[in-house]
Amino acid sequence: MTPRPFHHGNLRAVLLEQAEVMLREGGVDGLSLRELARQAGVSHGAPRSHFIDRQALLDALAEQGFDRLTDQVRSALAGAGPFPERFRLVAHAYVDFAVDNAAVMELMFATKMNDAAGPVHAAATRLFQTLDEAMGPSAAPGDGDRDRFKLLFAAMMQGTATLITTHRVTRSQGNVLIDDATGVLLGSHLATSLLQP
Protein backbone atom coordinates (compact mmCIF):
# COMPACT_ATOMS: atom_id res chain seq x y z
CA MET A 1 0.00 0.00 0.00
CA THR A 2 1.38 3.40 -0.94
CA PRO A 3 1.30 5.81 1.99
CA ARG A 4 -1.04 8.69 1.33
CA PRO A 5 0.74 12.00 0.87
CA PHE A 6 0.21 14.74 3.39
CA HIS A 7 0.87 18.44 3.46
CA HIS A 8 2.92 20.10 6.14
CA GLY A 9 0.56 21.01 8.94
CA ASN A 10 -1.92 18.16 8.65
CA LEU A 11 0.29 15.31 9.84
CA ARG A 12 -1.71 14.96 13.06
CA ALA A 13 -4.95 14.46 11.11
CA VAL A 14 -3.28 11.91 8.83
CA LEU A 15 -1.85 10.03 11.81
CA LEU A 16 -5.24 9.91 13.54
CA GLU A 17 -6.90 8.68 10.36
CA GLN A 18 -4.31 5.93 9.93
CA ALA A 19 -4.46 5.05 13.64
CA GLU A 20 -8.21 4.56 13.36
CA VAL A 21 -7.70 2.19 10.42
CA MET A 22 -5.18 0.24 12.50
CA LEU A 23 -7.53 0.22 15.49
CA ARG A 24 -10.33 -1.26 13.38
CA GLU A 25 -8.03 -3.89 11.88
CA GLY A 26 -5.96 -4.95 14.88
CA GLY A 27 -7.58 -3.52 18.00
CA VAL A 28 -5.86 -1.49 20.68
CA ASP A 29 -3.09 -4.08 21.12
CA GLY A 30 -2.04 -3.70 17.50
CA LEU A 31 -1.57 0.05 17.74
CA SER A 32 1.94 1.40 18.33
CA LEU A 33 3.56 4.71 17.44
CA ARG A 34 6.34 2.97 15.52
CA GLU A 35 3.92 0.90 13.43
CA LEU A 36 1.74 3.97 12.93
CA ALA A 37 4.75 5.84 11.53
CA ARG A 38 5.49 2.96 9.19
CA GLN A 39 1.89 2.70 7.99
CA ALA A 40 1.69 6.47 7.47
CA GLY A 41 5.02 6.53 5.61
CA VAL A 42 6.78 8.93 7.96
CA SER A 43 9.90 8.72 10.10
CA HIS A 44 9.53 6.64 13.25
CA GLY A 45 9.86 9.75 15.44
CA ALA A 46 7.29 11.84 13.56
CA PRO A 47 4.22 10.73 15.57
CA ARG A 48 5.91 11.82 18.82
CA SER A 49 5.74 15.43 17.69
CA HIS A 50 1.95 15.12 18.13
CA PHE A 51 1.51 12.28 20.64
CA ILE A 52 3.99 12.03 23.51
CA ASP A 53 3.24 8.32 23.91
CA ARG A 54 0.84 5.58 22.90
CA GLN A 55 -1.69 6.58 25.56
CA ALA A 56 -1.79 10.13 24.20
CA LEU A 57 -2.61 8.69 20.78
CA LEU A 58 -5.39 6.53 22.24
CA ASP A 59 -6.76 9.52 24.14
CA ALA A 60 -6.77 11.61 20.95
CA LEU A 61 -8.68 8.87 19.12
CA ALA A 62 -11.22 8.65 21.95
CA GLU A 63 -11.62 12.43 22.08
CA GLN A 64 -12.15 12.58 18.33
CA GLY A 65 -14.71 9.77 18.59
CA PHE A 66 -16.72 11.63 21.22
CA ASP A 67 -16.61 14.79 19.11
CA ARG A 68 -17.85 12.95 16.01
CA LEU A 69 -20.66 11.25 17.95
CA THR A 70 -21.66 14.59 19.47
CA ASP A 71 -21.82 16.12 15.98
CA GLN A 72 -24.12 13.30 14.82
CA VAL A 73 -26.37 13.74 17.86
CA ARG A 74 -26.55 17.50 17.27
CA SER A 75 -27.47 16.95 13.62
CA ALA A 76 -30.28 14.61 14.66
CA LEU A 77 -31.57 17.11 17.22
CA ALA A 78 -31.51 19.95 14.69
CA GLY A 79 -34.34 18.45 12.67
CA ALA A 80 -37.90 19.68 12.79
CA GLY A 81 -40.65 17.90 14.64
CA PRO A 82 -41.66 17.07 18.20
CA PHE A 83 -39.12 15.95 20.76
CA PRO A 84 -40.08 12.24 20.69
CA GLU A 85 -39.33 12.06 16.96
CA ARG A 86 -36.04 13.94 17.32
CA PHE A 87 -35.14 11.72 20.28
CA ARG A 88 -35.74 8.64 18.11
CA LEU A 89 -33.47 10.14 15.44
CA VAL A 90 -30.80 10.75 18.09
CA ALA A 91 -31.06 7.11 19.15
CA HIS A 92 -30.61 5.92 15.57
CA ALA A 93 -27.65 8.30 15.08
CA TYR A 94 -26.04 6.99 18.28
CA VAL A 95 -26.43 3.34 17.31
CA ASP A 96 -25.34 3.97 13.71
CA PHE A 97 -22.13 5.57 14.98
CA ALA A 98 -21.56 2.77 17.50
CA VAL A 99 -22.02 0.05 14.85
CA ASP A 100 -20.06 1.78 12.08
CA ASN A 101 -17.23 2.71 14.47
CA ALA A 102 -17.31 -0.21 16.89
CA ALA A 103 -13.57 -0.22 17.67
CA VAL A 104 -13.54 3.53 18.28
CA MET A 105 -16.67 3.32 20.44
CA GLU A 106 -15.11 0.59 22.56
CA LEU A 107 -12.01 2.72 23.01
CA MET A 108 -14.08 5.80 23.89
CA PHE A 109 -15.79 4.11 26.79
CA ALA A 110 -12.77 2.07 27.88
CA THR A 111 -10.55 5.13 28.18
CA LYS A 112 -9.93 6.16 31.76
CA MET A 113 -11.43 9.59 32.35
CA ASN A 114 -10.20 10.17 35.89
CA ASP A 115 -8.68 13.48 34.86
CA ALA A 116 -11.67 15.83 34.99
CA ALA A 117 -9.61 18.46 33.18
CA GLY A 118 -8.47 16.06 30.46
CA PRO A 119 -9.61 16.32 26.84
CA VAL A 120 -11.33 12.91 26.75
CA HIS A 121 -13.40 13.75 29.82
CA ALA A 122 -14.27 17.14 28.31
CA ALA A 123 -15.34 15.53 25.01
CA ALA A 124 -17.51 12.96 26.82
CA THR A 125 -19.04 15.77 28.88
CA ARG A 126 -19.93 17.65 25.67
CA LEU A 127 -21.79 14.59 24.39
CA PHE A 128 -23.87 14.26 27.54
CA GLN A 129 -24.44 18.04 27.71
CA THR A 130 -25.86 17.86 24.18
CA LEU A 131 -28.26 15.14 25.31
CA ASP A 132 -29.09 17.16 28.41
CA GLU A 133 -29.86 20.33 26.42
CA ALA A 134 -32.25 18.34 24.25
CA MET A 135 -34.29 17.49 27.34
CA GLY A 136 -35.07 21.15 28.01
CA PRO A 137 -34.57 23.16 31.18
CA SER A 138 -33.88 21.33 34.41
CA ALA A 139 -36.35 21.58 37.26
CA ALA A 140 -33.49 21.50 39.74
CA PRO A 141 -29.74 22.06 39.32
CA GLY A 142 -27.74 18.87 39.67
CA ASP A 143 -30.83 16.76 39.03
CA GLY A 144 -29.68 13.16 39.44
CA ASP A 145 -32.70 11.88 37.51
CA ARG A 146 -31.46 13.61 34.36
CA ASP A 147 -28.13 11.81 34.71
CA ARG A 148 -29.94 8.50 35.19
CA PHE A 149 -32.01 9.16 32.06
CA LYS A 150 -28.93 9.93 29.94
CA LEU A 151 -27.01 6.91 31.26
CA LEU A 152 -30.02 4.65 30.71
CA PHE A 153 -30.30 5.97 27.15
CA ALA A 154 -26.59 5.30 26.53
CA ALA A 155 -26.85 1.80 28.04
CA MET A 156 -29.85 0.90 25.89
CA MET A 157 -28.29 2.23 22.70
CA GLN A 158 -24.88 0.67 23.32
CA GLY A 159 -26.55 -2.62 24.17
CA THR A 160 -28.48 -2.51 20.91
CA ALA A 161 -25.29 -1.66 19.00
CA THR A 162 -23.52 -4.61 20.62
CA LEU A 163 -26.31 -6.97 19.56
CA ILE A 164 -25.84 -5.74 15.99
CA THR A 165 -22.03 -5.85 15.93
CA THR A 166 -21.98 -9.36 17.42
CA HIS A 167 -24.56 -10.47 14.82
CA ARG A 168 -27.13 -11.46 17.42
CA VAL A 169 -29.60 -9.32 15.47
CA THR A 170 -29.57 -7.84 11.98
CA ARG A 171 -29.28 -4.13 11.35
CA SER A 172 -32.98 -3.94 10.48
CA GLN A 173 -33.93 -5.84 13.65
CA GLY A 174 -31.71 -3.42 15.54
CA ASN A 175 -33.65 -0.50 14.08
CA VAL A 176 -36.87 -1.99 15.44
CA LEU A 177 -35.22 -2.43 18.85
CA ILE A 178 -34.13 1.23 18.82
CA ASP A 179 -37.69 2.36 18.21
CA ASP A 180 -38.97 0.01 20.91
CA ALA A 181 -36.31 1.18 23.38
CA THR A 182 -36.98 4.87 22.83
CA GLY A 183 -40.71 4.26 23.21
CA VAL A 184 -40.15 2.46 26.52
CA LEU A 185 -37.72 5.09 27.74
CA LEU A 186 -39.94 8.06 26.82
CA GLY A 187 -42.95 6.32 28.37
CA SER A 188 -41.16 5.67 31.65
CA HIS A 189 -42.01 7.44 34.88
CA LEU A 190 -38.45 8.81 34.85
CA ALA A 191 -38.99 10.46 31.47
CA THR A 192 -42.43 11.87 32.23
CA SER A 193 -41.09 13.53 35.37
CA LEU A 194 -38.23 15.11 33.42
CA LEU A 195 -39.84 16.05 30.13
CA GLN A 196 -42.98 17.79 31.29
CA PRO A 197 -43.89 20.68 28.96
PDB file of all heavy atoms in Angstrom, residues 93-115:
ATOM      1  N   ALA A  93     -28.981   7.740  15.374  1.00  0.00           N
ATOM      2  CA  ALA A  93     -27.652   8.303  15.076  1.00  0.00           C
ATOM      3  C   ALA A  93     -26.607   7.704  16.009  1.00  0.00           C
ATOM      4  O   ALA A  93     -25.485   7.377  15.587  1.00  0.00           O
ATOM      5  CB  ALA A  93     -27.689   9.820  15.210  1.00  0.00           C
ATOM      6  N   TYR A  94     -26.954   7.557  17.284  1.00  0.00           N
ATOM      7  CA  TYR A  94     -26.045   6.994  18.281  1.00  0.00           C
ATOM      8  C   TYR A  94     -25.673   5.553  17.915  1.00  0.00           C
ATOM      9  O   TYR A  94     -24.494   5.182  17.896  1.00  0.00           O
ATOM     10  CB  TYR A  94     -26.733   7.041  19.659  1.00  0.00           C
ATOM     11  CG  TYR A  94     -25.830   6.806  20.840  1.00  0.00           C
ATOM     12  CD1 TYR A  94     -25.537   7.829  21.722  1.00  0.00           C
ATOM     13  CD2 TYR A  94     -25.295   5.544  21.100  1.00  0.00           C
ATOM     14  CE1 TYR A  94     -24.709   7.610  22.815  1.00  0.00           C
ATOM     15  CE2 TYR A  94     -24.478   5.316  22.194  1.00  0.00           C
ATOM     16  CZ  TYR A  94     -24.193   6.354  23.055  1.00  0.00           C
ATOM     17  OH  TYR A  94     -23.387   6.138  24.130  1.00  0.00           O
ATOM     18  N   VAL A  95     -26.688   4.751  17.630  1.00  0.00           N
ATOM     19  CA  VAL A  95     -26.426   3.337  17.311  1.00  0.00           C
ATOM     20  C   VAL A  95     -25.684   3.213  15.984  1.00  0.00           C
ATOM     21  O   VAL A  95     -24.760   2.389  15.859  1.00  0.00           O
ATOM     22  CB  VAL A  95     -27.732   2.520  17.309  1.00  0.00           C
ATOM     23  CG1 VAL A  95     -27.489   1.097  16.812  1.00  0.00           C
ATOM     24  CG2 VAL A  95     -28.330   2.485  18.718  1.00  0.00           C
ATOM     25  N   ASP A  96     -26.054   4.020  14.989  1.00  0.00           N
ATOM     26  CA  ASP A  96     -25.338   3.970  13.710  1.00  0.00           C
ATOM     27  C   ASP A  96     -23.850   4.246  13.913  1.00  0.00           C
ATOM     28  O   ASP A  96     -23.000   3.545  13.354  1.00  0.00           O
ATOM     29  CB  ASP A  96     -25.922   4.998  12.722  1.00  0.00           C
ATOM     30  CG  ASP A  96     -27.263   4.555  12.153  1.00  0.00           C
ATOM     31  OD1 ASP A  96     -27.631   3.373  12.307  1.00  0.00           O
ATOM     32  OD2 ASP A  96     -27.955   5.409  11.560  1.00  0.00           O
ATOM     33  N   PHE A  97     -23.536   5.263  14.710  1.00  0.00           N
ATOM     34  CA  PHE A  97     -22.134   5.568  14.983  1.00  0.00           C
ATOM     35  C   PHE A  97     -21.470   4.392  15.690  1.00  0.00           C
ATOM     36  O   PHE A  97     -20.356   3.983  15.339  1.00  0.00           O
ATOM     37  CB  PHE A  97     -22.011   6.832  15.832  1.00  0.00           C
ATOM     38  CG  PHE A  97     -20.582   7.182  16.155  1.00  0.00           C
ATOM     39  CD1 PHE A  97     -19.848   8.001  15.318  1.00  0.00           C
ATOM     40  CD2 PHE A  97     -19.962   6.676  17.291  1.00  0.00           C
ATOM     41  CE1 PHE A  97     -18.521   8.303  15.591  1.00  0.00           C
ATOM     42  CE2 PHE A  97     -18.637   6.965  17.579  1.00  0.00           C
ATOM     43  CZ  PHE A  97     -17.920   7.792  16.726  1.00  0.00           C
ATOM     44  N   ALA A  98     -22.139   3.853  16.703  1.00  0.00           N
ATOM     45  CA  ALA A  98     -21.557   2.769  17.496  1.00  0.00           C
ATOM     46  C   ALA A  98     -21.307   1.516  16.661  1.00  0.00           C
ATOM     47  O   ALA A  98     -20.318   0.806  16.862  1.00  0.00           O
ATOM     48  CB  ALA A  98     -22.462   2.440  18.683  1.00  0.00           C
ATOM     49  N   VAL A  99     -22.183   1.245  15.708  1.00  0.00           N
ATOM     50  CA  VAL A  99     -22.019   0.054  14.851  1.00  0.00           C
ATOM     51  C   VAL A  99     -20.943   0.315  13.801  1.00  0.00           C
ATOM     52  O   VAL A  99     -20.069  -0.526  13.565  1.00  0.00           O
ATOM     53  CB  VAL A  99     -23.360  -0.318  14.193  1.00  0.00           C
ATOM     54  CG1 VAL A  99     -23.165  -1.402  13.124  1.00  0.00           C
ATOM     55  CG2 VAL A  99     -24.356  -0.790  15.249  1.00  0.00           C
ATOM     56  N   ASP A 100     -21.000   1.474  13.165  1.00  0.00           N
ATOM     57  CA  ASP A 100     -20.057   1.781  12.081  1.00  0.00           C
ATOM     58  C   ASP A 100     -18.645   2.057  12.593  1.00  0.00           C
ATOM     59  O   ASP A 100     -17.685   1.986  11.824  1.00  0.00           O
ATOM     60  CB  ASP A 100     -20.547   2.989  11.273  1.00  0.00           C
ATOM     61  CG  ASP A 100     -21.853   2.698  10.549  1.00  0.00           C
ATOM     62  OD1 ASP A 100     -22.171   1.507  10.336  1.00  0.00           O
ATOM     63  OD2 ASP A 100     -22.572   3.657  10.206  1.00  0.00           O
ATOM     64  N   ASN A 101     -18.524   2.369  13.870  1.00  0.00           N
ATOM     65  CA  ASN A 101     -17.227   2.706  14.469  1.00  0.00           C
ATOM     66  C   ASN A 101     -17.035   1.913  15.763  1.00  0.00           C
ATOM     67  O   ASN A 101     -16.665   2.475  16.796  1.00  0.00           O
ATOM     68  CB  ASN A 101     -17.158   4.212  14.764  1.00  0.00           C
ATOM     69  CG  ASN A 101     -17.392   5.051  13.530  1.00  0.00           C
ATOM     70  OD1 ASN A 101     -16.493   5.287  12.739  1.00  0.00           O
ATOM     71  ND2 ASN A 101     -18.633   5.510  13.352  1.00  0.00           N
ATOM     72  N   ALA A 102     -17.284   0.614  15.674  1.00  0.00           N
ATOM     73  CA  ALA A 102     -17.306  -0.213  16.890  1.00  0.00           C
ATOM     74  C   ALA A 102     -16.001  -0.162  17.667  1.00  0.00           C
ATOM     75  O   ALA A 102     -16.001  -0.051  18.902  1.00  0.00           O
ATOM     76  CB  ALA A 102     -17.657  -1.655  16.526  1.00  0.00           C
ATOM     77  N   ALA A 103     -14.865  -0.226  16.977  1.00  0.00           N
ATOM     78  CA  ALA A 103     -13.572  -0.218  17.674  1.00  0.00           C
ATOM     79  C   ALA A 103     -13.327   1.117  18.356  1.00  0.00           C
ATOM     80  O   ALA A 103     -12.821   1.172  19.480  1.00  0.00           O
ATOM     81  CB  ALA A 103     -12.443  -0.524  16.693  1.00  0.00           C
ATOM     82  N   VAL A 104     -13.701   2.197  17.689  1.00  0.00           N
ATOM     83  CA  VAL A 104     -13.538   3.533  18.281  1.00  0.00           C
ATOM     84  C   VAL A 104     -14.458   3.682  19.477  1.00  0.00           C
ATOM     85  O   VAL A 104     -14.068   4.202  20.528  1.00  0.00           O
ATOM     86  CB  VAL A 104     -13.816   4.633  17.234  1.00  0.00           C
ATOM     87  CG1 VAL A 104     -13.822   6.015  17.878  1.00  0.00           C
ATOM     88  CG2 VAL A 104     -12.790   4.577  16.116  1.00  0.00           C
ATOM     89  N   MET A 105     -15.697   3.211  19.347  1.00  0.00           N
ATOM     90  CA  MET A 105     -16.669   3.319  20.440  1.00  0.00           C
ATOM     91  C   MET A 105     -16.182   2.559  21.666  1.00  0.00           C
ATOM     92  O   MET A 105     -16.285   3.036  22.792  1.00  0.00           O
ATOM     93  CB  MET A 105     -18.015   2.777  19.966  1.00  0.00           C
ATOM     94  CG  MET A 105     -19.168   3.106  20.876  1.00  0.00           C
ATOM     95  SD  MET A 105     -19.615   4.849  20.726  1.00  0.00           S
ATOM     96  CE  MET A 105     -21.225   4.828  21.507  1.00  0.00           C
ATOM     97  N   GLU A 106     -15.646   1.373  21.435  1.00  0.00           N
ATOM     98  CA  GLU A 106     -15.109   0.587  22.556  1.00  0.00           C
ATOM     99  C   GLU A 106     -13.984   1.348  23.244  1.00  0.00           C
ATOM    100  O   GLU A 106     -13.912   1.406  24.477  1.00  0.00           O
ATOM    101  CB  GLU A 106     -14.615  -0.767  22.056  1.00  0.00           C
ATOM    102  CG  GLU A 106     -14.116  -1.667  23.165  1.00  0.00           C
ATOM    103  CD  GLU A 106     -13.670  -3.037  22.656  1.00  0.00           C
ATOM    104  OE1 GLU A 106     -13.967  -3.382  21.506  1.00  0.00           O
ATOM    105  OE2 GLU A 106     -13.015  -3.744  23.441  1.00  0.00           O
ATOM    106  N   LEU A 107     -13.112   1.940  22.449  1.00  0.00           N
ATOM    107  CA  LEU A 107     -12.008   2.722  23.009  1.00  0.00           C
ATOM    108  C   LEU A 107     -12.528   3.922  23.790  1.00  0.00           C
ATOM    109  O   LEU A 107     -12.048   4.228  24.881  1.00  0.00           O
ATOM    110  CB  LEU A 107     -11.076   3.193  21.885  1.00  0.00           C
ATOM    111  CG  LEU A 107      -9.946   4.133  22.299  1.00  0.00           C
ATOM    112  CD1 LEU A 107      -8.973   3.428  23.244  1.00  0.00           C
ATOM    113  CD2 LEU A 107      -9.212   4.651  21.067  1.00  0.00           C
ATOM    114  N   MET A 108     -13.529   4.612  23.238  1.00  0.00           N
ATOM    115  CA  MET A 108     -14.078   5.801  23.887  1.00  0.00           C
ATOM    116  C   MET A 108     -14.534   5.508  25.310  1.00  0.00           C
ATOM    117  O   MET A 108     -14.256   6.263  26.237  1.00  0.00           O
ATOM    118  CB  MET A 108     -15.264   6.345  23.075  1.00  0.00           C
ATOM    119  CG  MET A 108     -14.873   7.035  21.792  1.00  0.00           C
ATOM    120  SD  MET A 108     -16.243   7.131  20.589  1.00  0.00           S
ATOM    121  CE  MET A 108     -17.546   7.930  21.555  1.00  0.00           C
ATOM    122  N   PHE A 109     -15.229   4.402  25.478  1.00  0.00           N
ATOM    123  CA  PHE A 109     -15.794   4.112  26.787  1.00  0.00           C
ATOM    124  C   PHE A 109     -14.879   3.252  27.651  1.00  0.00           C
ATOM    125  O   PHE A 109     -15.164   3.033  28.825  1.00  0.00           O
ATOM    126  CB  PHE A 109     -17.185   3.497  26.633  1.00  0.00           C
ATOM    127  CG  PHE A 109     -18.205   4.532  26.248  1.00  0.00           C
ATOM    128  CD1 PHE A 109     -18.495   4.777  24.921  1.00  0.00           C
ATOM    129  CD2 PHE A 109     -18.835   5.304  27.214  1.00  0.00           C
ATOM    130  CE1 PHE A 109     -19.410   5.760  24.546  1.00  0.00           C
ATOM    131  CE2 PHE A 109     -19.753   6.282  26.861  1.00  0.00           C
ATOM    132  CZ  PHE A 109     -20.031   6.512  25.524  1.00  0.00           C
ATOM    133  N   ALA A 110     -13.762   2.797  27.089  1.00  0.00           N
ATOM    134  CA  ALA A 110     -12.767   2.069  27.881  1.00  0.00           C
ATOM    135  C   ALA A 110     -11.694   3.013  28.407  1.00  0.00           C
ATOM    136  O   ALA A 110     -10.976   2.677  29.346  1.00  0.00           O
ATOM    137  CB  ALA A 110     -12.118   0.974  27.047  1.00  0.00           C
ATOM    138  N   THR A 111     -11.581   4.189  27.784  1.00  0.00           N
ATOM    139  CA  THR A 111     -10.547   5.134  28.178  1.00  0.00           C
ATOM    140  C   THR A 111     -10.822   5.657  29.580  1.00  0.00           C
ATOM    141  O   THR A 111     -11.936   6.046  29.894  1.00  0.00           O
ATOM    142  CB  THR A 111     -10.488   6.327  27.190  1.00  0.00           C
ATOM    143  OG1 THR A 111     -10.214   5.808  25.893  1.00  0.00           O
ATOM    144  CG2 THR A 111      -9.414   7.314  27.577  1.00  0.00           C
ATOM    145  N   LYS A 112      -9.788   5.638  30.400  1.00  0.00           N
ATOM    146  CA  LYS A 112      -9.931   6.162  31.758  1.00  0.00           C
ATOM    147  C   LYS A 112     -10.120   7.667  31.686  1.00  0.00           C
ATOM    148  O   LYS A 112      -9.371   8.365  31.021  1.00  0.00           O
ATOM    149  CB  LYS A 112      -8.699   5.825  32.588  1.00  0.00           C
ATOM    150  CG  LYS A 112      -8.565   4.351  32.912  1.00  0.00           C
ATOM    151  CD  LYS A 112      -7.417   4.122  33.863  1.00  0.00           C
ATOM    152  CE  LYS A 112      -7.464   2.728  34.432  1.00  0.00           C
ATOM    153  NZ  LYS A 112      -6.881   1.715  33.652  1.00  0.00           N
ATOM    154  N   MET A 113     -11.147   8.164  32.368  1.00  0.00           N
ATOM    155  CA  MET A 113     -11.433   9.593  32.350  1.00  0.00           C
ATOM    156  C   MET A 113     -11.345  10.178  33.756  1.00  0.00           C
ATOM    157  O   MET A 113     -12.144  11.008  34.146  1.00  0.00           O
ATOM    158  CB  MET A 113     -12.805   9.838  31.729  1.00  0.00           C
ATOM    159  CG  MET A 113     -12.836   9.536  30.249  1.00  0.00           C
ATOM    160  SD  MET A 113     -14.386   9.957  29.467  1.00  0.00           S
ATOM    161  CE  MET A 113     -15.436   8.607  30.020  1.00  0.00           C
ATOM    162  N   ASN A 114     -10.357   9.686  34.518  1.00  0.00           N
ATOM    163  CA  ASN A 114     -10.204  10.166  35.890  1.00  0.00           C
ATOM    164  C   ASN A 114      -9.809  11.631  35.944  1.00  0.00           C
ATOM    165  O   ASN A 114     -10.103  12.326  36.906  1.00  0.00           O
ATOM    166  CB  ASN A 114      -9.155   9.324  36.630  1.00  0.00           C
ATOM    167  CG  ASN A 114      -9.582   7.868  36.750  1.00  0.00           C
ATOM    168  OD1 ASN A 114     -10.764   7.569  36.753  1.00  0.00           O
ATOM    169  ND2 ASN A 114      -8.622   6.981  36.829  1.00  0.00           N
ATOM    170  N   ASP A 115      -9.130  12.097  34.903  1.00  0.00           N
ATOM    171  CA  ASP A 115      -8.681  13.484  34.856  1.00  0.00           C
ATOM    172  C   ASP A 115      -9.824  14.355  34.377  1.00  0.00           C
ATOM    173  O   ASP A 115     -10.115  14.432  33.188  1.00  0.00           O
ATOM    174  CB  ASP A 115      -7.472  13.606  33.926  1.00  0.00           C
ATOM    175  CG  ASP A 115      -6.953  15.035  33.821  1.00  0.00           C
ATOM    176  OD1 ASP A 115      -7.465  15.905  34.562  1.00  0.00           O
ATOM    177  OD2 ASP A 115      -6.039  15.276  33.016  1.00  0.00           O
TER     178      ASP A 115
END
